[in-house]
Amino acid sequence: MIELINVTKSFRAGTNVKYTARGINMVFPTGAVVGLLGRNGAGKSTMMNMIGGSTKPDSGQIRITGTVSWPVGFAGSFHRDMTGAQNVRFIARIYGVDTEDLLDFVADFAELGHHLNEPVRHYSSGMRSRLAFGVSIGIPFDTYLVDEVTSVGDANFRRKSRMVFQNRMERAGAVMVSHSMTQVRQMCSAGAVLEGGYLTYYEDIEEAIDAHHRNMGTGEED
C-alpha cells in the first residue's frame, strides 16, 4: 500500500509557483495496477519520483507498506564505466537478490548478447533502456513504478515486455504512466488522474480515462 498524506510539491516557474501536488491525500491499494493519467506537465513523473523516494515533497508524508521499485526502466543510475553485467551484479547485491539469477534473467530478457560484457558508456539509449527494464522487472518488488517503459524496442520486444510485466502483476501491484489509453486499458484495473495539483482515484479504469479526456477537452485517444 502507498499512502499519500497531505502531500504538497511545487516548483518555481519564472515569477510564478507551479503546484504538482496540493495537499494530496490518497491511497494506492496493495496489489492494484493503477494507471496514473494527466496532461503533459501535470507532474506525473514528479509524483512517481516522490513515491520512489528520489524526490521529496515540500510537505506531507508518503507511507509505503512493502517494497516499491525505482521507476522501471530508469537507466540514469548505471555506472557508465562498468559493464552491463557488472551493473546488474552491483544492483543485485544492493537489493539482496541472487546475483547470478538476476544476471541470467537480464541476459535472456534484454537480448544484449556480448554487449552485456561491454561498458555501458558504449550502449545506445535503446540498449540502456532494455538493460534497465530487465534489471527493474527482474527484482521481485511488491509495487512497480512504470513510466512508459513498454514502449521501448521493436514490436517483438514490446510484446515480450508486456508479457513479463503482466506476469509480475499476478503477484504484485503497480503505478503506471502511459500516454496510450489502449495500453492503460490492457494493463490497469484502476486509475488516478492528476490535474492542477489534485489527484483523484477511480476504482474503474474507464471512469479514470473519461475524467482524463474531460480534463484534456478531447475525445478518445490511442
Side-chain angles (χ1 to χ4, degrees), residues 86-197:
Q86 289 171 331
N87 274 282
V88 172
R89 291 191 177 98
F90 178 73
I91 294 169
R93 288 193 292 271
I94 290 176
Y95 284 90
V97 299
D98 186 275
T99 55
E100 296 309 310
D101 283 351
L102 182 59
L103 185 60
D104 288 345
F105 176 88
V106 173
D108 177 68
F109 177 83
E111 301 177 356
L112 294 173
H114 68 275
H115 296 293
L116 192 60
N117 294 307
E118 295 180 355
V120 170
R121 68 174 181 272
H122 295 155
Y123 285 19
S124 67
S125 60
M127 291 167 65
R128 287 195 300 272
S129 295
R130 287 162 68 162
L131 177 66
F133 189 18
V135 175
S136 305
I137 209 72
I139 297 175
F141 292 103
D142 295 314
T143 303
Y144 290 88
L145 306 179
V146 185
D147 195 346
E148 293 287 357
V149 72
T150 52
S151 63
V152 171
D154 60 19
N156 288 334
F157 187 79
R158 292 196 299 273
R159 188 178 305 111
K160 180 169 70 171
S161 298
R162 287 195 295 271
M163 291 177 63
V164 170
F165 177 75
Q166 289 168 340
N167 178 264
R168 282 287 188 267
M169 292 308 98
E170 293 177 2
R171 300 178 297 279
V175 180
M176 175 180 169
V177 171
S178 175
H179 288 95
S180 169
M181 295 303 104
T182 298
Q183 190 175 77
V184 167
R185 285 188 171 98
Q186 289 173 343
M187 297 185 175
C188 301
S189 55
V193 180
L194 185 60
E195 174 72 10

Side-chain angles (χ1 to χ4, degrees), residues 44 71 141 214:
K44 300 185 297 296
F141 292 103
R214 288 195 298 271

Side-chain angles (χ1 to χ4, degrees), residues 4 7-9 20-21 45-58 62 64:
L4 281 63
V7 170
T8 295
K9 183 67 177 177
T20 56
S45 293
T46 299
M47 180 62 65
M48 296 279 272
N49 289 335
M50 286 195 291
I51 294 171
S54 60
T55 297
K56 300 296 183 185
D58 297 340
I62 299 177
I64 294 173

Side-chain angles (χ1 to χ4, degrees), residues 11-32:
F11 297 93
R12 184 162 295 281
T15 59
N16 299 319
V17 175
K18 175 181 174 59
Y19 282 88
T20 56
R22 298 175 182 262
I24 292 174
N25 291 282
M26 205 189 80
V27 172
F28 292 90
T30 300

